[in-house]
Amino acid sequence: MKLISFEHAGRASYGAVVGDSQVVDLGSFFADRHPTLRDLIAAGLEQIGDLAQYSPGLRLADVKLLKPITHPEHIWCLAVNYLEHHKEVESAGRVQDLPKKPAMFARFNDSFVAEGEALWHPGVSEQFDYEGELAVVIGKPGHRIAAENAFDHVMGYTILNDGSVRDWQFHTRQITPGKNFYRSGSIGPWIVTADEVGDPYQLRIETRLNGEVLQSDLTDLMLHKIAAFIEYASTVAPLQAGDILATGTPSGVGFSRKPPIWMKPGDVCEITIDRIGKLTNAVIAS
């Protein structure tokens, strides 16, 4: 299934995309018990049953997409999780050891926008960079999850743009400020359940800025795989249904290029991942 959160006629709801253009409004059936998609995931998607029993009531073109999980408990992200990205970071002057453990940092929910919403240029910096990433969505909660059991906790996958303000990221060794500017990243357009995605290591990530391909790589090149990430993150704090784990970006980011390529107002950033879809956001002045 492709699961979305959305607004229609002034009402927030959630549902499933059927085909390329129709939406089943699952919220109209389940919201009395499960007010949000996150609540439904926590209760178990099996209660939806066969989508064929529902009549699509809405056109996808007529709804406003929200972030798939509107209020996740945790958003964990990995830095330098692809070898070629690590090399390009070093070539750009940021010499560092290859992480022996997942190089994990947190992002805040209000640093993200949804599919079709505008990324806010930071204003105080011109160094606004893109990072296309595969993101894991947790379905089954867990604390101290062993790697061999990690995929039992994966509900599905979505696309994430870890928009970064590079000079603020590198003010100190603490990268949090440059990773959390308001509305600087994006996530969506939907969550594709794990059964539809299949092997998460056989997916191509591509990032285009104004139509030009700047990133293109396969997810099997991750240094720290998804199971290890889940084990590590769940040791820090229990993972909850709807938590987002962004698995890092491949090479091709803007700051390592000569000359650098930065996102600016008027640009359009598109990130595609096989079997998931495309995340598109314009950039506007904040």
Side-chain angles (χ1 to χ4, degrees):
M1 285 186 289
K2 292 179 181 176
L3 297 169
I4 60 173
S5 295
F6 66 88
E7 286 182 357
H8 181 261
R11 180 180 65 91
S13 190
Y14 56 88
V17 178
V18 179
D20 295 327
S21 61
Q22 301 296 310
V23 175
V24 172
D25 183 359
L26 294 173
S28 65
F29 297 96
F30 295 102
D32 57 335
R33 288 164 287 161
H34 314 302
T36 69
L37 180 56
R38 176 183 164 188
D39 296 318
L40 181 66
I41 291 168
L45 295 179
E46 64 277 0
Q47 64 191 295
I48 297 173
D50 188 348
L51 277 179
Q53 68 182 301
Y54 306 97
S55 297
L58 299 170
R59 294 174 62 245
L60 183 59
D62 293 336
V63 306
K64 171 182 167 54
L65 290 175
L66 305 175
K67 290 174 287 188
I69 304 296
T70 54
H71 294 90
E73 183 75 15
H74 304 108
I75 305 171
W76 293 115
C77 307
L78 290 187
V80 288
N81 199 34
Y82 286 74
L83 180 58
E84 291 304 314
H85 177 51
H86 177 263
K87 290 178 180 178
E88 72 178 356
V89 169
E90 289 199 316
S91 71
R94 308 299 306 185
V95 177
Q96 55 191 339
D97 292 333
L98 199 63
K100 294 181 175 61
K101 295 286 187 180
M104 193 171 76
F105 62 93
R107 281 195 70 143
F108 307 128
N109 190 37
D110 67 358
S111 71
F112 289 104
V113 299
E115 157 69 19
E117 292 187 319
L119 297 167
W120 284 26
H121 190 277
V124 298
S125 168
E126 294 303 313
Q127 297 185 17
F128 188 28
D129 210 347
Y130 52 85
E131 291 193 11
E133 305 194 11
L134 174 70
V136 177
V137 182
I138 296 298
K140 177 183 173 183
H143 189 201
R144 298 172 182 164
I145 300 165
E148 58 266 28
N149 301 322
F151 281 97
D152 295 340
H153 297 261
V154 174
M155 187 276 289
Y157 302 90
T158 189
I159 305 171
L160 185 141
N161 186 351
D162 184 25
S164 304
V165 184
R166 295 300 188 190
D167 47 352
W168 282 71
Q169 177 181 342
F170 298 135
H171 279 169
T172 68
R173 294 178 63 87
Q174 168 56 261
I175 69 173
T176 299
K179 292 290 191 176
N180 277 286
F181 268 66
Y182 185 57
R183 299 175 72 91
S184 61
S186 57
I187 187 167
W190 40 58
I191 302 164
V192 180
T193 50
D195 61 320
E196 285 200 19
V197 172
D199 185 349
Y201 302 122
Q202 296 301 314
L203 306 175
R204 180 164 293 277
I205 302 174
E206 289 194 342
T207 302
R208 291 175 172 82
L209 190 63
N210 302 323
E212 180 182 0
V213 177
L214 298 178
Q215 292 184 291
S216 184
D217 223 332
L218 292 173
T219 51
D220 67 347
L221 298 175
M222 291 179 196
L223 295 171
H224 297 285
K225 304 297 189 185
I226 291 168
F229 186 9
I230 289 173
E231 181 177 66
Y232 193 80
S234 70
T235 303
V236 175
L239 292 177
Q240 305 296 333
D243 281 358
I244 307 295
L245 278 67
T247 59
T249 199
S251 62
V253 296
F255 90 95
S256 66
R257 293 174 174 271
K258 295 178 176 56
I261 295 176
W262 307 118
M263 294 193 293
K264 59 187 184 301
D267 286 350
V268 176
C269 187
E270 300 170 296
I271 302 167
T272 59
I273 300 182
D274 294 342
R275 300 199 294 275
I276 298 177
K278 180 168 69 172
L279 174 64
T280 303
N281 303 92
V283 180
I284 64 171
S286 57

